[in-house]
Amino acid sequence: MEKKEEIYEGKAKKVYATDDPGLYIVSYKDDATAFNGEKRGTIADKGVVNNIMSDIIFALLEESGVPTHFVKQLSDRETLVKAVKIFPLEVIIRNVAAGSFSKRYGVEEGTALLQSTLEFSLKEDALGDPLINEDHVLALGIATKEELAKVSAYAHKVNEILKAFFLEKGLKLIDFKIEFGKTSDGVIILADEISPDTCRLWDVETNEKMDKDRFRRDLGNVEETYQAVLARVQNTK
Ligand code: TMP
C-alpha cells in the first residue's frame, strides 16, 4: 500500500491518500487541543496510544456488528482505513453528567442520567461546535432522516458495547464522541477514533479521571494516564 499525498490535517491526525481510492492512511499526532483549539499542547506518545486503542476498539465493534472504517494497523501511529466522507457531526452519548452537559443544565458532574442521552454538535470550530438537533440536521441537509436514524442506532449500540468493555477494565464510560462517514457506495460506517481524547473514563473505584480532562483541566499525570488506559485496554495492567 503506497502512501500518497496528505489530503487533510486535523488537530490530532493527518489523513493521506493511498494508491487505492477506497483507502486512506490515518496518522496520529501528539498535538492536543481543547476548547475548540484555544488551549494547545503536546501529550507525549498520545498518537501511539490513540492509534492502538482505537484499533482494538474498532475491531471489537466490527466483530459486534457495527461497521467501521478500520482495515489494518500499519505502525504505532498509522492505520489503514476505508475512505469516507465524514458527516460534520459530533455524535455524543452521555451516561453520566459531566463537561458541557453539567455546565449547560446545571447538573453536578457525576450525576447518573436516567437514560443514555444522545446529542449532536455541528463540527465547526469557528462556531464553537454548537449543539444541534435532528430538525437542524435535516434542515441544513447534513444528513437524511434515514441516515440520522442509522447513525443514532449505531451510536447507542457502540455505547452498550463500550460500557461493558470498559467496565471489565475497571473504567466507567461517562460519555464519548464519535463520528460517522459515508463510503463512495453510500454505506454509513463509524470513522475517526475512540480514545482518551474522545471518551470520559473514570476509575470505577476512585472516580479518578482517566482521559483528556487531565489535559483540559491541568490535573497532571497526563501522559501516564494515557499509558495506563492503553495498558488496561490491552489487559496488561
Ligand atoms: P463535552 O462535555 O465537552 O461536550 O464533551 C462530551 C464528550 O465528547 C467527552 O467525552 C469529550 C468528547 N469531545 C470530543 O471528543 N471532542 C470535542 O471537541 C469535545 C468538545 C468533546
Side-chain angles (χ1 to χ4, degrees):
M1 185 56 50
E2 201 191 328
K3 186 160 149 186
K4 301 260 225 191
E5 76 279 6
E6 181 184 312
I7 51 176
Y8 172 81
E9 176 161 12
K11 287 176 288 187
K13 298 188 283 297
K14 290 183 182 184
V15 180
Y16 297 89
T18 68
D19 45 15
D20 180 338
L23 297 173
Y24 290 159
I25 291 171
V26 181
S27 181
Y28 285 74
K29 306 189 285 184
D30 288 348
D31 299 350
T33 63
F35 315 118
N36 303 312
E38 267 174 48
K39 179 182 169 93
R40 287 163 189 278
T42 303
I43 300 173
D45 284 338
K46 171 171 85 78
V48 174
V49 170
N50 290 6
N51 182 46
I52 296 173
M53 176 164 162
S54 287
D55 287 353
I56 292 170
I57 290 177
F58 276 55
L60 167 74
L61 292 171
E62 194 81 55
E63 263 171 40
S64 315
V66 178
T68 78
H69 72 171
F70 176 64
V71 178
K72 183 172 110 179
Q73 192 168 104
L74 300 176
S75 70
D76 272 4
R77 286 179 186 271
E78 293 196 332
T79 292
L80 188 66
V81 300
K82 290 180 189 156
V84 290
K85 198 161 179 290
I86 297 274
F87 291 100
L89 289 176
E90 305 210 323
V91 180
I92 294 164
I93 294 224
R94 301 178 187 273
N95 298 305
V96 175
S100 68
F101 184 97
S102 286
K103 205 177 240 179
R104 188 179 320 117
Y105 303 118
V107 184
E108 198 186 336
E109 276 209 330
T111 308
L113 300 177
L114 299 179
Q115 61 166 54
S116 56
T117 303
L118 175 81
E119 69 187 42
F120 299 108
S121 290
L122 178 66
K123 219 171 114 80
E124 182 53 69
D125 272 351
L127 300 174
D129 292 348
L131 197 61
I132 74 176
N133 70 20
E134 184 172 331
D135 267 3
H136 297 155
V137 173
L138 300 178
L140 293 170
I142 292 169
T144 66
K145 208 174 172 65
E146 294 70 34
E147 288 170 342
L148 258 194
K150 197 162 250 182
V151 161
S152 304
Y154 283 149
H156 282 292
K157 186 161 181 181
V158 168
N159 184 43
E160 292 312 311
I161 296 164
L162 291 191
K163 264 197 302 186
F165 173 77
F166 283 121
L167 202 54
E168 274 180 31
K169 316 290 182 189
L171 294 166
K172 264 190 276 187
L173 180 60
I174 304 302
D175 57 32
F176 62 94
K177 183 270 300 182
I178 48 182
E179 296 181 21
F180 291 86
K182 209 155 67 161
T183 65
S184 59
D185 311 330
V187 180
I188 293 178
I189 61 179
L190 182 68
D192 195 50
E193 67 179 275
I194 296 183
S195 71
D197 273 13
T198 64
C199 300
R200 283 197 175 91
L201 299 165
W202 293 2
D203 183 87
V204 171
E205 292 198 336
T206 63
N207 275 338
E208 191 187 350
K209 293 180 181 13
M210 299 196 64
D211 55 60
K212 194 177 165 190
D213 273 345
R214 303 207 73 83
F215 167 79
R216 294 189 190 97
R217 303 179 187 189
D218 297 319
L219 300 176
N221 289 329
V222 182
E223 278 89 4
E224 294 83 343
T225 300
Y226 275 72
Q227 294 297 334
V229 170
L230 178 62
R232 288 199 198 192
V233 164
Q234 291 177 311
N235 255 338
T236 53
K237 106 174 134 125

